[in-house]
């Protein structure tokens, strides 16, 4: 009896998703690919969009389109309000202290480039070090290589263990009196590893080293609280959280953003311009030169609203279940080896099949209507470290089902028959 009550109590607190119902919110999921029902398992590359987002963008262009922060007319006021409401929504999503700590950018890539150029470059000198990990996406490697090349600073790298977990001991050893900045991914896009970033930020801050977190793969799966994390910067992309492409977010602590020079010059980022000199606008506008992606920000606001209505805990629990199920069923297929088996993972299953190139596997799966990603996943240094040219990667979103994992497994069996 007691056990029964415990189960009931557990069920009461455990959030659950009505996946079949929420799938109806995503028009694209009804389409066929090559005559087969689409099974979309490439969510780490980009997520599909719910009707709430599509309709919000359509409505914005149909009823409110105007430029922001400039006009005194009604439409400009509406557009400005929509754009600024989006900022408030993002600040709440990340639990930022202030709305002005949210800068709208094109995506995680631009957010990282902004920090590299405006925060990293002026601070780094020859003899200094910049610390990243080997599991970074290229967008959290190349901007730092560029800054290091320009300043003479050295780029240091934290290795991973064979299972895809970060070597936290090596991380501690590489934090030195020379380290000026740490940039680390919250969740690996190639392996799904969730890094212990709270601990990593604590270790860096113990030495007064600021930390940028690349949250492109975390924001869709993990509840992010920048105040609890204490990170100095946090970057993510709208299109990976069910929002539109071309819009993303840089969170930065107010004191950093205020001290940083602008990244680009142009309209909106100024207070006054004479030919001799320019007085820059306040944050966040100082970093938003030119007409921003207004429809994108408003669409992102709708996406975050949708995600919060569904419940981020419920989404995370559902994806966890799918990942566990896929790990078990894909892992049982003869010749398949899972790549990345860290204890903490989020929504991503990378694997290779003996004797089969991942691209061929991806092509056979596509014929079955199953969309996965194959290749180096913009993480070539990680692939090199693991001794692999490429992997196949299935990544889950809120609308995926166990039946779709079954379709993936069947497709892999089929690929074995066809390709081996
Ligand atoms: N960081 C990680 C971990 C990613 O997975 C990605 C995209 O896949 C990015 C950064 C870059 O995101 P975007 O191309 O949207 O700027």
């Amino acid at each position: 009896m007691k056990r029964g009550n415990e189960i009931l109590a557990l069920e009461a607190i455990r959030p659950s998703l009505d996946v079949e119902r929420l799938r109806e919110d995503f028009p694209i999921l009804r389409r066929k690919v090559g005559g087969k029902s689409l099974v979309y398992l490439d969510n780490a590359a980009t997520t599909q969009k719910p009707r709430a987002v599509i309709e919000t963008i359509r409505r914005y262009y149909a009823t409110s389109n105007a430029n922001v922060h400039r006009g005194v007319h009604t439409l400009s006021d509406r557009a400005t309000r929509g754009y600024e409401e989006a900022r408030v929504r993002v600040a709440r999503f990340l639990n930022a202290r202030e709305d002005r700590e949210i800068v709208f950018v094109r995506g995680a890539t631009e957010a990282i480039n902004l920090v590299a150029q405006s925060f990293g470059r002026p601070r780094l000198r020859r003899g200094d070090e910049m610390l990243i990990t080997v599991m970074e996406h290229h967008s959290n490697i190349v901007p730092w290589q560029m800054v290091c090349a320009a300043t003479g600073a050295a780029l240091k790298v934290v290795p991973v263990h064979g299972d895809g977990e970060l070597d936290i001991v090596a991380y501690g050893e590489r934090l030195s009196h020379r380290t000026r900045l740490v940039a680390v991914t919250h969740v690996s896009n190639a392996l799904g590893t969730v890094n212990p970033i709270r601990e990593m930020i604590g270790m860096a801050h113990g030495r007064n080293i600021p930390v940028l977190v690349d949250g492109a793969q975390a924001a869709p799966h993990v509840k992010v609280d920048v105040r609890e994390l204490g990170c100095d910067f946090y970057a993510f992309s709208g299109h990976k959280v069910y929002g539109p492409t071309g819009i993303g977010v840089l969170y930065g602590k107010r004191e950093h953003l205020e001290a940083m020079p602008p990244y680009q010059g142009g309209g909106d980022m100024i207070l006054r311009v004479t030919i001799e000199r320019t007085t820059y606008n306040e944050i966040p506008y100082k970093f938003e030169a030119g007409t921003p992606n207004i429809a994108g920000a408003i669409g992102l606001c709708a996406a975050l609203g949708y995600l919060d209505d569904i419940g981020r805990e419920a989404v995370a629990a559902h994806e966890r279940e799918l990942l566990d199920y896929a790990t078990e069923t894909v892992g049982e297929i003869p010749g398949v080896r899972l790549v990345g088996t860290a204890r903490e993972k989020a929504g991503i299953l990378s694997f290779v099949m003996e004797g089969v190139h991942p691209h061929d596997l991806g092509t056979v799966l596509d014929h079955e209507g199953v969309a996965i990603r194959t290749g180096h996943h913009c993480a070539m240094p990680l692939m090199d470290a693991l001794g692999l040219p490429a992997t196949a990667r299935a990544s889950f979103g809120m609308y995926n089902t166990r039946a779709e994992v079954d379709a993936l497994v069947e497709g892999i069996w089929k690929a074995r028959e066809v390709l081996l």
Side-chain angles (χ1 to χ4, degrees), residues 44-45 107-110 112 137 139 185 187-189 214 216-217 237 239-240:
T109 302
E110 189 175 42
I112 296 166
H137 186 280
S139 58
T185 194
V187 172
S188 156
N189 69 307
D214 172 359
Q217 293 297 339
S237 296
H239 70 98
K240 295 190 199 279

Side-chain angles (χ1 to χ4, degrees), residues 202-375:
M203 288 164 75
H205 283 181
R207 291 174 164 271
N208 280 325
I209 303 165
V211 180
L212 171 139
V213 179
D214 172 359
Q217 293 297 339
H221 305 292
V222 181
K223 194 156 171 51
V224 178
D225 182 332
V226 290
R227 269 193 271 177
E228 195 199 345
L229 290 173
C231 55
D232 298 272
F233 299 99
Y234 198 93
F236 75 94
S237 296
H239 70 98
K240 295 190 199 279
V241 287
Y242 309 96
T245 50
I247 186 78
V249 170
L250 172 67
Y251 156 82
K253 281 186 179 161
R254 179 168 59 84
E255 55 273 29
H256 291 323
L257 293 179
E258 281 179 340
M260 286 157 60
Y263 171 54
Q264 294 177 331
D268 236 25
M269 52 76 74
I270 54 91
L271 287 178
R272 181 170 160 70
V273 180
T274 64
I275 292 299
E276 288 72 35
R277 68 183 295 268
T278 291
T279 314
Y280 302 131
N281 207 339
E282 296 167 351
I283 63 165
Y285 310 112
K286 182 170 76 172
F287 297 106
E288 294 181 0
T291 301
N293 185 351
I294 307 161
I298 292 172
L300 174 60
C301 182
L304 298 183
Y306 181 82
L307 188 52
D308 277 340
D309 284 350
I310 301 285
R312 274 188 273 174
E313 279 85 1
V315 169
H318 172 66
E319 290 169 351
R320 177 79 239 170
E321 249 180 66
L322 289 179
L323 180 66
D324 289 346
Y325 183 52
T327 302
E328 193 187 316
T329 51
V330 174
E332 276 173 356
I333 300 172
V336 167
R337 180 165 68 83
L338 303 181
V339 181
T341 50
R343 282 163 295 178
E344 287 288 324
K345 283 189 60 174
I348 289 171
L349 190 74
S350 245
F351 54 96
V352 288
M353 187 193 267
E354 216 179 295
V356 174
H357 194 281
H359 287 314
D360 296 335
L361 180 57
T363 305
V364 173
L365 283 168
D366 184 51
H367 287 144
E368 300 303 306
V370 180
I372 62 158
R373 181 69 157 232
T374 60

Side-chain angles (χ1 to χ4, degrees), residues 19 22 39 42 55 91 106 109 175 189 196-197 210 226 260 264 291 301 314 319 351 394 408 410:
V19 178
L22 78 81
V39 174
D42 195 16
E55 188 47 34
R106 271 194 302 128
T109 302
L175 284 174
N189 69 307
I197 54 162
V226 290
M260 286 157 60
Q264 294 177 331
T291 301
C301 182
E319 290 169 351
F351 54 96
L408 169 71
E410 274 171 38

